Amino acid sequence: MFRLLATVILLGTLVLFGCRQQQEPPTARVVASEAYRSYFGEPPTVAEGVCYALVGFYPLADDPTQFRPVPHFTFATQGRPQMLLQQVMFGPEAFGMDDFLINPFPENASLREVSVSDGLATAYFSPELMQVRSDLQQAMLAAIGHTLLQFEEIERVQVMVGGQIPPLFPEGDISLQGTEVVDPGPPVLLQALLHEDSDAIPGEMLVFFDRPVEVRSFVMEFPQGEAVQGDYFTSVFDMAVVVHPADPGRIRPGDEVYLSWNIVDGKGRESWGDGLWPLALLSHD
């Protein structure tokens, strides 16, 4: 996931420009769902392979009848509806958006299969799905419906537990009535991470945004005002700035860095900001 897609070197407070391949191999392309293009515009490019740009839908914490679209990417050639719904079940905490989004799924529930036939998608869940909070039942069903209905081959969605529709759930297909997908608004910076895998570049830092963006300017400084020297890259489907510091020994988990940014997404929504951000630890070891 953290393979570098574009490279540019920064010194001090130079502007960071997202680089894209000038020519792509014929097999390198991104297939975006209509929902993705509607909320996020043109998807980023890839260097090789066929990537699918999709959208997961998550309830807002302050109003679970409203849903925020969040981009997801996969190179999976089969089973994308099931893969995407499983990602949604991990919840917004998986990508640092749990301050304003919620996970309506019970913690121990699992998705066993999503089958599609004649336009009907049937999502088969483990019995733990029935532990859903009563006040989040509608939000959970709507998250399933909104997420699966973006696929062209799906026109209707139903949920099965133990081979039958649970008696506590509404009969028939999932209804999205009473729910609304809201505009995601301008792009935001989510988190700054220090990557400490055994195979990671020493001191590698990743600054994540909530969607693919064009980075018009980006500055990283130590709290004393000294620029973090090193190599700066755009990566992770244009959703992150990756920094390889020239002096990694000065970077430790929990340290704060000053960030200043100006970014714009595929729909032309622009945002900028600055402030001190703590470096949380990212590790896959």
Side-chain angles (χ1 to χ4, degrees), residues 1 24 73 111 114 134 159 167 192 196 200 204 217-218 247 271 275 281:
M1 181 178 182
E24 297 177 358
F73 298 89
L111 177 64
V114 174
S134 59
V159 168
E196 282 205 343
E204 180 178 71
S217 66
F218 184 85
D247 185 2
S271 70
L281 185 62

Side-chain angles (χ1 to χ4, degrees), residues 202-222:
E204 180 178 71
M205 292 172 283
L206 300 98
V207 178
F208 279 97
F209 305 102
D210 69 333
R211 71 196 70 171
V213 294
E214 173 193 347
V215 183
R216 292 182 170 174
S217 66
F218 184 85
V219 174
M220 177 182 286
E221 297 177 349
F222 294 106

Side-chain angles (χ1 to χ4, degrees), residues 23-269:
Q23 293 184 342
E24 297 177 358
T27 57
R29 60 193 177 99
V30 178
V31 179
S33 68
E34 183 178 342
Y36 182 94
R37 293 184 183 275
S38 174
Y39 296 113
F40 301 110
E42 286 297 310
T45 59
V46 292
E48 59 184 357
V50 179
C51 176
Y52 295 86
L54 305 168
V55 180
F57 294 88
Y58 299 80
L60 301 186
D62 57 359
D63 184 356
T65 68
Q66 296 189 324
F67 288 76
R68 188 188 193 280
V70 174
H72 288 263
F73 298 89
T74 180
F75 286 91
T77 57
Q78 296 180 338
R80 287 184 294 276
Q82 180 171 338
M83 180 280 306
L84 179 58
L85 187 52
Q86 286 175 326
Q87 291 295 316
V88 170
M89 291 180 67
F90 289 145
E93 57 271 22
F95 43 84
M97 297 176 70
D98 49 324
D99 285 345
F100 50 94
L101 302 178
I102 60 172
N103 185 354
F105 292 89
E107 183 177 358
N108 297 321
S110 61
L111 177 64
R112 293 178 171 171
E113 182 186 2
V114 174
S115 66
V116 182
S117 178
D118 296 326
L120 173 64
T122 303
Y124 296 89
F125 289 89
S126 67
E128 289 79 11
L129 191 75
M130 299 310 299
Q131 298 173 9
V132 60
R133 283 170 37 186
S134 59
D135 60 326
L136 292 180
Q137 177 178 301
Q138 180 190 27
M140 182 186 73
L141 294 175
I144 297 169
H146 281 298
T147 298
L148 293 181
L149 285 170
Q150 75 186 280
F151 292 92
E152 292 183 355
E153 67 271 27
I154 296 176
E155 300 173 358
R156 302 155 46 216
V157 178
Q158 67 179 10
V159 168
M160 301 283 258
V161 176
Q164 60 183 0
I165 298 176
L168 296 180
F169 289 2
E171 293 186 6
D173 303 340
I174 287 179
S175 171
L176 302 180
Q177 186 175 359
T179 69
E180 176 187 10
V181 178
V182 300
D183 186 276
V188 297
L189 191 153
L190 292 177
Q191 53 191 344
L193 303 175
L194 176 61
H195 197 189
E196 282 205 343
D197 277 2
S198 58
D199 58 349
I201 298 295
E204 180 178 71
M205 292 172 283
L206 300 98
V207 178
F208 279 97
F209 305 102
D210 69 333
R211 71 196 70 171
V213 294
E214 173 193 347
V215 183
R216 292 182 170 174
S217 66
F218 184 85
V219 174
M220 177 182 286
E221 297 177 349
F222 294 106
Q224 300 83 0
E226 178 187 354
V228 176
Q229 305 289 341
D231 296 343
Y232 287 62
F233 308 79
T234 57
S235 185
V236 196
F237 303 106
D238 292 345
M239 294 178 66
V241 172
V242 181
V243 182
H244 293 169
D247 185 2
R250 297 182 62 181
I251 308 296
R252 295 170 299 179
D255 285 354
E256 288 187 331
V257 289
Y258 170 82
L259 301 176
S260 174
W261 65 93
N262 183 338
I263 54 177
V264 61
D265 71 6
K267 299 287 282 188
R269 292 170 293 215

